[in-house]
Amino acid sequence: MARGDERRPRPPRPVPLVDASLSHTTGAGGGRRGPATAAQRPPTPPSPSLPLSERDGRVARVLDDALRSSVIELDGANCATTSATCPADPRAELGVRLPVLSLLLKPLGRFLSFEVTLLDDRGVRRRLRASNFQPAPRVAPDVAALPLALSPGWNRVVLHLGDLTKAAYGTGFAEATRVTVHASCRVRAVYFSAAPVPDRDLPPEFRLFAPASAAVEGVGGGVAAAGEAAAA
């Protein structure tokens, strides 16, 4: 029986957060970007034209011993002022409709956070923010703050944006428009997918080869109760 007409799941879509952080600028005004070389090199400061903020910290490409691969390190005493964002242009939007966001993160023993900006099915812009200093879920009209518990070493953090948007605001997820990762952590990859993808089915650049890696599923436990309390 022919199986060629079966629908295959869509592959994960990467967020060029890490790739953009490794880019060099070319052309007039530095408006055009190209990928950095794949060769390993010592930590290097990013170009000022990249989607980074490092007022009192550092964003650099480093070689991670556990993964034996280049990653992005965001390190700073204040997580609010050291970050990497995609897209870089504040007027641009990702427009990604895949509802599952995955991040490969390694904490550096300090506070860290990340957030995704999205549109719900009513056209309202929302933000979902996860951090390891948030003690309990808290829902406000424009942002839902979620607690994030990470293991030492590398973690795969998976956010089900549809479930979280529904739990916090009672609306549906339409599309993700922006992703920002704040210090202090290392980042291997950030990507969207239609559903969580087993590590063995991912492209090599999205895998965690470190034996001590952990998966953090269901970030934002209790957000439904917090949303109901905020709406009351």
Side-chain angles (χ1 to χ4, degrees):
M1 182 177 178
R3 302 173 63 89
D5 59 347
E6 290 187 357
R7 296 186 63 183
R8 295 181 179 180
R10 286 178 290 179
R13 175 174 172 179
V15 175
L17 185 76
V18 174
D19 293 339
S21 302
L22 307 181
S23 299
H24 62 272
T25 58
T26 60
R32 185 179 177 187
R33 295 189 181 92
T37 62
Q40 304 290 356
R41 60 178 184 265
T44 54
S47 164
S49 63
L50 298 178
L52 306 170
S53 172
E54 48 176 357
R55 292 200 297 270
D56 60 358
R58 183 185 73 121
V59 181
R61 180 181 183 176
V62 301
L63 179 63
D64 185 80
D65 292 338
L67 296 180
R68 296 187 292 277
S69 175
S70 291
V71 298
I72 294 299
E73 182 174 280
L74 300 95
D75 193 17
N78 186 345
C79 64
T81 56
T82 303
S83 63
T85 301
C86 186
D89 186 343
R91 299 165 297 181
E93 295 185 344
L94 290 173
V96 176
R97 297 183 178 180
L98 299 173
V100 176
L101 172 64
S102 299
L103 306 93
L104 307 187
L105 301 177
K106 180 179 184 178
L108 297 180
R110 298 185 180 183
F111 291 148
L112 70 91
S113 70
F114 65 86
E115 69 177 53
V116 54
T117 305
L118 58 86
L119 288 175
D120 67 14
D121 58 3
R122 296 179 184 174
V124 179
R125 196 173 302 274
R126 314 283 194 183
R127 286 181 297 152
L128 301 177
R129 179 188 300 149
S131 65
N132 62 353
F133 52 84
Q134 180 70 30
R138 180 178 59 84
V139 177
D142 62 335
V143 59
L146 314 172
L148 177 65
L150 297 175
S151 301
W154 284 95
N155 297 255
R156 186 188 312 280
V157 182
V158 181
L159 269 68
H160 300 257
L161 302 178
D163 294 344
L164 290 172
T165 305
K166 180 69 173 179
Y169 298 107
T171 57
F173 166 78
E175 64 180 50
T177 62
R178 180 172 298 275
V179 175
T180 301
V181 179
H182 295 269
S184 289
C185 64
R186 289 184 174 182
V187 186
R188 175 171 171 82
V190 181
Y191 60 91
F192 290 89
S193 57
V197 182
D199 199 71
R200 64 180 180 275
D201 296 334
L202 288 167
E205 62 268 24
F206 295 162
R207 295 177 187 169
L208 282 180
F209 296 101
S213 63
V216 181
E217 295 278 357
V219 174
V223 70
E228 293 170 0

